[in-house]
Amino acid sequence: MDTDTTGASPIRVVLADDEAMIRAGVRAILASDPGIEVVAEAGDGHAAVELVRAHRPRVALLDIRMPRLDGLAAAAEIRRVVPDTATIMLTTFGEDDHVARALGHGASGFLLKAGDPRELIAGVHAVADGGAYLSPRVARRVIELGAGRLARRPAARDRAAGLTEREREVLALVGAGLSNAEIARRLHLVEGTVKSYLTSIFTRLDVRNRVQAAILAYEAGLVDG
């Protein structure tokens, strides 16, 4: 994992979890990377939204289960009021119903609280750079859940067939977890062109975010694994 941030501003993060010990642990992990700065912490979803509104961070890390306003509702509100802030959901393994709902709220990542600390750092960097990130143990469940949702629509392969060859190439790289900048380098494009392709892909496939697009890329067989 390359997290060299020489000459770059740190990624500003708002962290929200109702358990103080969890927040302290997550903050300590993030503090080990000089390219990440936790600018504020919240103990409930309502406070998280207000802090994101005030600090305009690049990333909001949200526990799914919180008082006053849960992480799912907070993610939806953040997407509405501060759309430039990417959201990552902190979850425990087996919360399938919450993970399925979070897909519809535009979350860019899902991380396990009990996962490898390196995943936390990698996830923050990935979503800050415009990508999506799923903890490996969560990824398969998210893909399976996505498959169930897509089963009520035309087959994923048929949907992807409606894209141009270049759009399918971009979709495959989104499925592989690459950021816009990485896709641009891989395909020898400028980043603005990649963003234009993604806008077209999301519209053609009727998906709302990169995670949903990545699921469809897997289901369509565009990504190995």
Side-chain angles (χ1 to χ4, degrees):
M1 177 184 63
D2 180 6
T3 58
D4 181 11
T5 57
T6 303
S9 299
I11 299 165
R12 302 172 73 250
V13 175
V14 165
L15 168 63
D17 194 297
D18 61 326
E19 297 185 45
M21 288 185 66
I22 296 292
R23 289 203 310 273
V26 171
R27 182 176 65 249
I29 291 168
L30 296 179
S32 70
D33 186 326
I36 299 173
E37 177 187 5
V38 176
V39 297
E41 297 179 32
D44 63 72
H46 178 75
V49 173
E50 293 307 310
L51 288 172
V52 167
R53 195 196 301 266
H55 291 275
R56 305 275 165 167
R58 187 66 194 89
V59 177
L61 271 170
L62 307 172
D63 180 26
I64 285 183
R65 297 176 181 271
M66 289 189 291
R68 298 184 69 193
L69 192 69
D70 68 25
L72 299 172
E77 183 65 7
I78 287 169
R79 185 183 184 195
R80 186 183 71 82
V81 300
V82 192
D84 289 338
T85 294
T87 55
I88 298 177
M89 310 308 299
L90 292 172
T91 181
T92 58
F93 193 69
E95 293 183 321
D96 291 352
D97 56 333
H98 296 302
V99 172
R101 286 176 55 207
L103 285 173
H105 289 308
S108 297
F110 299 88
L111 294 167
L112 283 176
K113 291 183 179 181
D116 188 326
R118 291 172 295 184
E119 294 176 10
L120 182 61
I121 292 173
V124 169
H125 278 277
V127 302
D129 198 27
Y133 191 90
L134 306 177
S135 289
R137 288 178 60 198
V138 164
R140 178 54 53 190
R141 290 299 302 135
V142 172
I143 291 165
E144 290 170 357
L145 290 166
R149 291 154 62 92
L150 295 175
R152 297 188 298 270
R153 304 176 183 179
R157 194 178 295 273
D158 290 342
R159 295 171 72 189
L163 303 176
T164 67
E165 181 177 354
R166 180 62 94 184
E167 286 172 342
R168 285 195 295 273
E169 289 178 322
V170 172
L171 178 61
L173 295 176
V174 169
L178 273 65
S179 68
N180 290 353
E182 290 169 333
I183 292 171
R185 288 194 294 270
R186 181 75 63 87
L187 299 181
H188 307 291
L189 301 170
V190 297
E191 194 168 345
T193 300
V194 173
K195 292 179 180 178
S196 295
Y197 276 125
L198 288 174
T199 298
S200 175
I201 289 167
F202 290 179
T203 299
R204 286 170 178 257
L205 297 180
D206 190 26
V207 297
R208 298 177 64 181
N209 55 62
R210 294 179 82 98
V211 175
Q212 291 181 348
I215 289 169
L216 195 144
Y218 271 96
E219 294 301 324
L222 299 179
V223 183
D224 294 332

